[in-house]
Amino acid sequence: AQKVTQAQTEISVVEKEDVTLDCVYETRDTTYYLFWYKQPPSGELVFLIRRNSFDEQNEISGRYSWNFQKSTSSFNFTITASQVVDSAVYFCALGINFGNEKLTFGTGTRLTIIP
Amino acid sequence: DTGVSQNPRHKITKRGQNVTFRCDPISEHNRLYWYRQTLGQGPEFLTYFQNEAQLEKSRLLSDRFSAERPKGSFSTLEIQRTEQGDSAMYLCASSTIGTPSSYEQYFGPGTRLTVT
């Protein structure tokens, strides 16, 4: 069975600080995909990134960066120079069977950026 | 390119009534998924379709729930004899295969169901 753990329930940081959201996953499959989604107060889940299990390169997209480490089964997400618009609930998710079937989500981390 | 749309956005119903939700995926996407999200939790998978074929159903999907995608385009999710425990946000997502963005599921705004 697959499991995703987001141990941080809520995080608050002051604007312009950097913040890292943790994600730990469990699966016996050797091929899998990891995702991050953002759910702002409006409620719609917004896709941020997908990583393949065979590609451990870290990725940077603007102020966002992701650190994938298979050795620790972690896929952490860092926001640099946070902004108020980053306030949202962030979900980490795991997909197996080439990622086209169900996603298993963590319970989310509520991030509040204080102006 | 319009995103995934869902209707209605909100539904309030009395216990025991039947409800039906609709999802229109992104037009070129051949896979469609239904999830349920309760307060403070992540979405939980319910079922998914590839074109018109329903390929997997979660054990969460009791016999009161039925989903269809008759022409491989829009999908409906029906809940019969609703119970208060069915109150949740019902999310639809779609994805494509065979392209660089394969395996990426894009979500609609959801239908919030309240059973009184």
Side-chain angles (χ1 to χ4, degrees):
Chain A
Q2 287 64 242
K3 185 178 179 182
V4 175
T5 301
Q6 295 180 255
Q8 304 153 309
T9 305
E10 296 190 29
I11 299 176
S12 295
V13 299
V14 176
E15 194 174 18
K16 298 184 182 176
E17 288 184 352
D18 300 346
V19 57
T20 296
L21 309 182
D22 298 332
C23 172
V24 174
Y25 63 92
E26 295 175 32
T27 180
R28 293 180 181 175
D29 289 76
T30 55
T31 300
Y32 52 89
Y33 292 80
L34 295 162
F35 303 78
W36 276 95
Y37 284 86
K38 174 182 181 179
Q39 190 170 43
S42 61
E44 188 162 341
L45 279 163
V46 177
F47 169 82
L48 295 178
I49 190 173
R50 180 203 80 198
R51 298 300 289 171
N52 308 334
S53 57
F54 44 86
D55 181 4
E56 286 192 73
Q57 277 193 344
N58 292 328
E59 183 158 339
I60 298 174
S61 176
R63 295 184 297 106
Y64 295 170
S65 62
W66 290 269
N67 183 359
F68 177 27
Q69 292 194 343
K70 287 180 77 170
S71 60
T72 55
S73 298
S74 65
F75 185 45
N76 297 337
F77 173 30
T78 298
I79 301 175
T80 302
S82 59
Q83 300 176 1
V84 172
V85 294
D86 297 327
S87 296
V89 180
Y90 290 85
F91 290 97
C92 180
L94 168 68
I96 61 169
N97 296 333
F98 304 103
N100 256 352
E101 286 77 20
K102 64 183 179 182
L103 296 182
T104 299
F105 284 82
T107 51
T109 297
R110 179 176 298 277
L111 176 64
T112 301
I113 308 299
I114 304 165
Chain B
D1 178 28
T2 57
V4 178
S5 61
Q6 293 186 245
N7 288 288
R9 295 291 306 277
H10 302 274
K11 179 72 177 179
I12 300 174
T13 191
K14 292 185 177 180
R15 188 178 54 184
Q17 298 294 305
N18 300 343
V19 294
T20 299
F21 311 140
R22 175 175 170 133
C23 170
D24 288 89
I26 294 172
S27 59
E28 66 269 23
H29 285 187
N30 51 6
R31 291 205 171 196
L32 185 148
Y33 309 78
W34 286 100
Y35 291 83
R36 181 172 68 188
Q37 185 179 21
T38 53
L39 200 61
Q41 300 296 315
E44 294 175 295
F45 170 80
L46 294 178
T47 187
Y48 92 98
F49 295 83
Q50 179 165 310
N51 300 315
E52 64 275 9
Q54 189 173 19
L55 297 186
E56 187 174 349
K57 293 196 295 185
S58 163
R59 280 174 283 184
L60 290 174
L61 214 64
S62 75
D63 56 5
R64 296 185 298 105
F65 288 70
S66 62
E68 294 183 341
R69 195 184 183 197
K71 298 181 180 178
S73 56
F74 73 92
S75 174
T76 58
L77 177 68
E78 181 183 17
I79 308 174
Q80 296 182 325
R81 305 181 304 280
T82 52
E83 302 172 356
Q84 287 188 324
D86 298 330
S87 295
M89 176 77 86
Y90 289 84
L91 297 167
C92 177
S94 68
S95 72
T96 187
I97 57 174
T99 72
S101 62
S102 295
Y103 321 130
E104 295 169 5
Q105 295 184 22
Y106 294 88
F107 283 80
T111 295
R112 182 168 296 284
L113 173 66
T114 302
V115 181
T116 61

